[in-house]
Amino acid sequence: MQYSLDPLAYAFDALEPHIDAQTMEIHHDRHHQTYVDKLNGAIADLDIADGTPVDQLLTDLKDLIPEAKQGAVINHGGGHSNHSKFWDWIAPGGATEPTGDVAGLIESTFGGLDGLKEKFNAAAATQFGSGWAWVVKSGDSLEVTSTPNQNSPLLEGKTPILGIDVWEHAYYLKYQNKRPAYIDAFWNVVNWDAVEASFQA
Ligand code: MN
């Protein structure tokens, strides 16, 4: 069983000026590729059924992965899963405002998009070091959370429907140490159709 990296479904410069082309190219072609390669290395001698989605390695970690390999799968399987979703959540061409059931839940849970942004931005800005901030589906409602490194919310039984990569590799070329400016810019590129699709999946 080998995982592979899909080509980015849009041009590296499609998110300019909010996320620059060089960052997108290095982030996708080198960083994401490295997670895929290291995941494949970690599971090379395991008997993982063909077609097992990477997310299942995380949701069923203890059943599928021996203890000695769990750390590598959390890091590199998480890296593969998280980035695959991230590229979809920021893909150009979708709804530019919350839509569908997610729109209703943002209203009822956070009092609207501004309320969600306030919580999410704080989670993203205060995640110490490398990690992610998330909107997760928790039962029938939404929650804002953050995780260190490449830890996926799937490890805690929560389904991510939107997330921001706050590793420095995600923003340093354009924003340097100004993580909050990158977080603000991120909202300009969120594809709300993709967020709704993650919620319904
Ligand atoms: Mn990244």
Side-chain angles (χ1 to χ4, degrees), residues 27 31 35 83 87 132 150 165 167 169-170:
H27 198 175
H31 290 278
Y35 293 118
H83 287 85
W87 309 134
W132 292 72
Q150 294 297 346
D165 184 345
W167 286 57
H169 70 225

Side-chain angles (χ1 to χ4, degrees), residues 5-28:
L5 177 61
D6 289 338
L8 193 67
Y10 44 93
F12 293 122
D13 67 359
L15 307 176
E16 292 270 12
H18 309 293
I19 303 179
D20 61 288
Q22 191 184 15
T23 294
M24 288 298 293
E25 182 168 6
I26 295 170
H27 198 175
H28 180 275

Side-chain angles (χ1 to χ4, degrees), residues 10 13 32 44 47 49 67 72 86 97 104 114 141 154 176 200:
Y10 44 93
D13 67 359
H32 190 168
D47 190 20
E67 201 169 346
F86 185 61
E97 301 284 337
D114 286 345
S141 68
L154 294 169
Q176 296 86 45
Q200 301 295 349

Side-chain angles (χ1 to χ4, degrees), residues 11-131:
F12 293 122
D13 67 359
L15 307 176
E16 292 270 12
H18 309 293
I19 303 179
D20 61 288
Q22 191 184 15
T23 294
M24 288 298 293
E25 182 168 6
I26 295 170
H27 198 175
H28 180 275
D29 287 6
R30 298 194 215 165
H31 290 278
H32 190 168
Q33 183 69 59
T34 300
Y35 293 118
V36 172
D37 294 344
K38 290 189 171 177
L39 172 62
N40 287 331
I43 64 164
D45 56 357
L46 303 183
D47 190 20
I48 305 287
D50 279 347
T52 302
V54 64
D55 284 5
Q56 199 182 335
L57 301 184
L58 302 166
T59 53
D60 299 347
L61 185 77
K62 289 183 173 64
D63 295 331
L64 294 178
I65 309 295
E67 201 169 346
K69 302 275 188 180
Q70 288 177 5
V73 170
I74 288 170
N75 289 337
H76 306 300
H80 181 30
S81 169
N82 295 341
H83 287 85
S84 298
K85 298 178 197 307
F86 185 61
W87 309 134
D88 285 348
W89 291 328
I90 60 176
T96 57
E97 301 284 337
T99 184
D101 289 344
V102 167
L105 282 169
I106 288 174
E107 202 61 42
S108 58
T109 310
F110 305 104
L113 185 56
D114 286 345
L116 168 62
K117 284 182 178 178
E118 194 177 320
K119 281 207 156 170
F120 183 94
N121 290 10
T126 59
Q127 170 58 46
F128 182 74
S130 297

